[in-house]
Amino acid sequence: MGQCYQERYTIPFDQSDVNGKLKLSSFLPYLLSLSGRHSAQLGRSDKKVFETYGLLWVVTDYVFSIDRLPSFSETIRIETKAVCYDKLSCQRRFIVQDRQENTLLQVEAYFALMDFKQRKLVRIPDGLLAPYEAVQVKKIRRSAVYARLEKAQRATYPIRYTDIDLNGHVNNSVYLDWIQDALGFAFLKHHVPRTIQLHYSKEIMPEKAICSEWLLEGLTSRHQICSEGQVNAQAIINWEVI
Amino acid sequence: MGQCYQERYTIPFDQSDVNGKLKLSSFLPYLLSLSGRHSAQLGRSDKKVFETYGLLWVVTDYVFSIDRLPSFSETIRIETKAVCYDKLSCQRRFIVQDRQENTLLQVEAYFALMDFKQRKLVRIPDGLLAPYEAVQVKKIRRSAVYARLEKAQRATYPIRYTDIDLNGHVNNSVYLDWIQDALGFAFLKHHVPRTIQLHYSKEIMPEKAICSEWLLEGLTSRHQICSEGQVNAQAIINWEVI
């Protein structure tokens, strides 16, 4: 089930990190633009959803399973489909493969619809998802449980103007940058993520600074992004030494 | 003169700012990847230059002339060519046009070759630039004079892991982000740059914070990026109210 869409993509220089590996935070906007092209092909472009309903899709959760991060100038194949949906959210899967059709990584993205004016999540309109041929379920299951971190380490980041997107809030890809970055250059140069679970709970508006808090135990790091005493996002990452 | 190369490009969501206008700092890597494709077509790929000489192209200056910034989802045409070169540097021009062939912006980029191991600029090897059919000149002229700023306003930015590129230093596009960002959200939301002159004098390595300093007089802002008491880059921007 699920109407599939696919593209090939070659990893550009600016999406490669100092190790020559794909920067996940800059890959996320690419995945979302790809899902946008899929939706447009099905007559469900973001523009149409906005003009018809005054709604926009926002990501509430990501789950990454990574076998190998693709490298600079490597050509990959990305396949995506909407897997299932319930009253409030939709689960989309991205599968990234190399030229030999080995699966490099898989991303589950969970979307919800936000009313642009009221900044509130709303029920998915009847029929909107029909062309995706996804399975309707009673409730989409999410596995991660995010406890609020206590006595965490902290790093402060100013929000850059370019972190704000057309929706008027911090783009969801920036959170992953803040989350990973807090662990420091030396750690990131010698570790790669194997799984990432990321949950967004509250959008961040311009002109604030944020706090990226973390606790590292063995090869598992737990994270939260906070601003003005509120938790905006939480994450759990399992790492491997390289 | 000058062997031309061109591509069409549609501005994606993640390269659009809160006003729906092109983010120049994220457009720069795209321009450089495009110039890389041009060079590869002429048998002068970055990989070949590195493998043959142990050298890599770095940008020393940019000069932007902007009539109108393209908008989210707008399709543009980008034409580039190497204009001229001297012993140490090469001037490349990018012209961006809309569908009606109006020139939206022009970017002059000045490149030099850096020895990867010694981190020093070196003379351009004989014959390397021949396929570009650019004009050889005695000395490339640069117009801007950058005085060191005194009593400037300052903003501090942590260097993010993702600011570092495969060359092991802060990517040149990040400087423009820091430079513009220091002026603040309210200013940037209501102003667009008309001209930008940007000069890089010293690369920035990982694990430091930088200072983005600026002075705004009328609609002209002067900037410098500093780390450890040294000036790494300077810029002059002329703005227009929107």
Side-chain angles (χ1 to χ4, degrees):
Chain A
M1 289 289 284
Q3 211 279 350
C4 276
Y5 177 83
Q6 64 175 57
E7 287 184 13
R8 285 189 191 277
Y9 185 61
T10 301
I11 311 299
F13 186 84
D14 61 298
Q15 285 185 357
S16 309
D17 70 11
V18 66
N19 288 330
K21 296 294 173 191
L22 177 67
K23 291 182 199 174
L24 285 177
S25 60
S26 72
F27 190 50
L28 284 181
Y30 180 77
L31 290 183
L32 294 188
S33 69
L34 184 145
S35 80
R37 289 188 285 279
H38 181 203
S39 293
Q41 199 181 63
L42 297 175
R44 295 292 187 269
S45 70
D46 290 343
K47 194 177 172 208
K48 189 171 176 184
V49 171
F50 186 73
E51 287 174 356
T52 310
Y53 303 102
L55 302 176
L56 45 101
W57 288 107
V58 293
V59 177
T60 62
D61 298 82
Y62 282 118
V63 177
F64 296 76
S65 311
I66 302 157
D67 190 54
R68 174 173 78 77
L69 286 174
S71 301
F72 167 52
S73 81
E74 183 171 356
T75 298
I76 56 175
R77 179 178 164 278
I78 309 162
E79 185 181 288
T80 186
K81 65 178 175 181
V83 179
C84 59
Y85 65 100
D86 61 19
K87 287 176 188 169
L88 288 168
S89 60
C90 175
Q91 179 180 347
R92 180 185 272 280
R93 181 169 298 151
F94 299 92
I95 295 176
V96 176
Q97 294 186 322
D98 65 13
R99 282 176 187 274
Q100 290 75 40
E101 298 189 9
N102 301 305
T103 295
L104 302 183
L105 64 115
Q106 184 167 320
V107 183
E108 305 288 337
Y110 300 81
F111 291 86
L113 280 168
M114 186 169 81
D115 184 287
F116 182 71
K117 284 188 186 162
Q118 301 199 345
R119 315 303 281 188
K120 280 184 182 169
L121 300 185
V122 299
R123 197 173 160 142
I124 298 171
D126 287 344
L128 178 65
L129 297 183
Y132 295 89
E133 297 175 12
V135 179
Q136 185 170 12
V137 295
K138 199 153 188 184
K139 190 162 172 53
I140 289 177
R141 285 192 300 174
R142 292 183 186 75
S143 55
V145 176
Y146 303 91
R148 182 148 182 168
L149 302 187
E150 304 293 340
K151 297 181 184 173
Q153 295 191 267
R154 318 177 77 194
T156 303
Y157 292 87
I159 298 170
R160 296 181 192 169
Y161 183 74
T162 49
D163 295 335
I164 309 297
D165 67 23
L166 249 173
N167 294 332
H169 58 203
V170 172
N171 186 266
N172 68 72
S173 63
V174 180
Y175 294 67
L176 187 56
D177 227 6
W178 290 327
I179 284 166
Q180 294 195 83
D181 196 75
L183 294 163
F185 185 83
F187 182 91
L188 295 170
K189 187 137 179 24
H190 300 290
H191 293 79
V192 284
R194 283 294 169 218
T195 62
I196 303 174
Q197 292 168 297
L198 172 53
H199 173 66
Y200 302 91
S201 44
K202 192 168 164 43
E203 62 181 339
I204 301 177
M205 309 310 278
E207 296 187 277
K208 291 178 188 170
I210 65 92
C211 227
S212 180
E213 304 185 352
W214 81 100
L215 284 174
L216 178 64
E217 288 172 20
L219 287 172
T220 300
S221 59
R222 292 171 180 272
H223 303 262
Q224 60 197 19
I225 300 296
C226 301
S227 65
E228 300 190 324
Q230 286 190 310
V231 175
N232 300 89
Q234 291 167 291
I236 303 169
I237 308 180
N238 288 302
W239 299 89
E240 188 176 273
V241 179
I242 52 168
Chain B
M1 290 288 284
Q3 210 279 349
C4 275
Y5 177 82
Q6 64 175 59
E7 287 184 11
R8 285 189 190 278
Y9 185 60
T10 300
I11 311 299
F13 186 84
D14 61 300
Q15 286 186 355
S16 310
D17 70 11
V18 65
N19 288 331
K21 296 294 173 190
L22 176 67
K23 291 182 198 174
L24 285 176
S25 60
S26 71
F27 190 50
L28 284 181
Y30 181 78
L31 291 184
L32 294 187
S33 69
L34 182 146
S35 80
R37 290 188 285 279
H38 180 202
S39 293
Q41 200 182 62
L42 298 175
R44 294 291 186 271
S45 70
D46 291 343
K47 196 176 170 208
K48 189 170 176 185
V49 172
F50 185 74
E51 287 174 357
T52 309
Y53 303 101
L55 302 176
L56 46 100
W57 288 108
V58 293
V59 178
T60 61
D61 298 82
Y62 282 119
V63 177
F64 297 75
S65 309
I66 303 156
D67 189 54
R68 174 173 78 76
L69 286 173
S71 301
F72 167 53
S73 83
E74 183 171 356
T75 298
I76 55 176
R77 179 179 164 279
I78 308 163
E79 185 182 286
T80 186
K81 64 177 176 182
V83 180
C84 59
Y85 66 100
D86 60 21
K87 288 176 187 167
L88 288 168
S89 60
C90 175
Q91 178 180 348
R92 181 185 270 281
R93 181 169 298 151
F94 299 92
I95 294 175
V96 176
Q97 295 186 321
D98 65 13
R99 281 177 189 273
Q100 290 74 42
E101 297 190 8
N102 300 306
T103 296
L104 302 183
L105 63 117
Q106 184 168 318
V107 184
E108 305 289 335
Y110 300 83
F111 291 86
L113 280 168
M114 187 169 81
D115 184 286
F116 182 72
K117 284 188 185 160
Q118 302 198 346
R119 314 304 280 187
K120 279 183 183 170
L121 300 185
V122 299
R123 198 175 160 137
I124 298 171
D126 288 343
L128 179 64
L129 297 184
Y132 294 89
E133 298 174 10
V135 179
Q136 186 171 12
V137 296
K138 199 154 188 182
K139 189 161 172 56
I140 289 177
R141 286 192 300 176
R142 292 182 186 77
S143 56
V145 176
Y146 303 91
R148 181 146 183 170
L149 302 188
E150 304 294 338
K151 297 181 184 173
Q153 295 191 267
R154 317 178 75 194
T156 303
Y157 292 87
I159 297 171
R160 296 182 191 168
Y161 183 74
T162 49
D163 295 336
I164 309 298
D165 67 23
L166 249 172
N167 294 331
H169 59 202
V170 172
N171 186 266
N172 68 72
S173 63
V174 181
Y175 294 67
L176 187 56
D177 227 5
W178 289 328
I179 284 166
Q180 294 196 83
D181 196 75
L183 293 164
F185 185 83
F187 182 90
L188 295 169
K189 188 139 180 16
H190 299 291
H191 294 78
V192 284
R194 285 293 168 216
T195 63
I196 302 175
Q197 292 168 297
L198 173 52
H199 173 66
Y200 303 91
S201 45
K202 193 169 164 43
E203 61 180 341
I204 301 176
M205 308 309 277
E207 295 187 276
K208 291 178 187 170
I210 64 92
C211 227
S212 180
E213 304 185 352
W214 81 100
L215 284 175
L216 178 64
E217 287 172 21
L219 288 172
T220 301
S221 59
R222 292 171 179 272
H223 303 263
Q224 61 196 18
I225 300 297
C226 301
S227 65
E228 299 189 326
Q230 286 189 310
V231 175
N232 300 88
Q234 291 167 291
I236 302 169
I237 308 180
N238 287 303
W239 299 89
E240 189 176 273
V241 179
I242 51 169

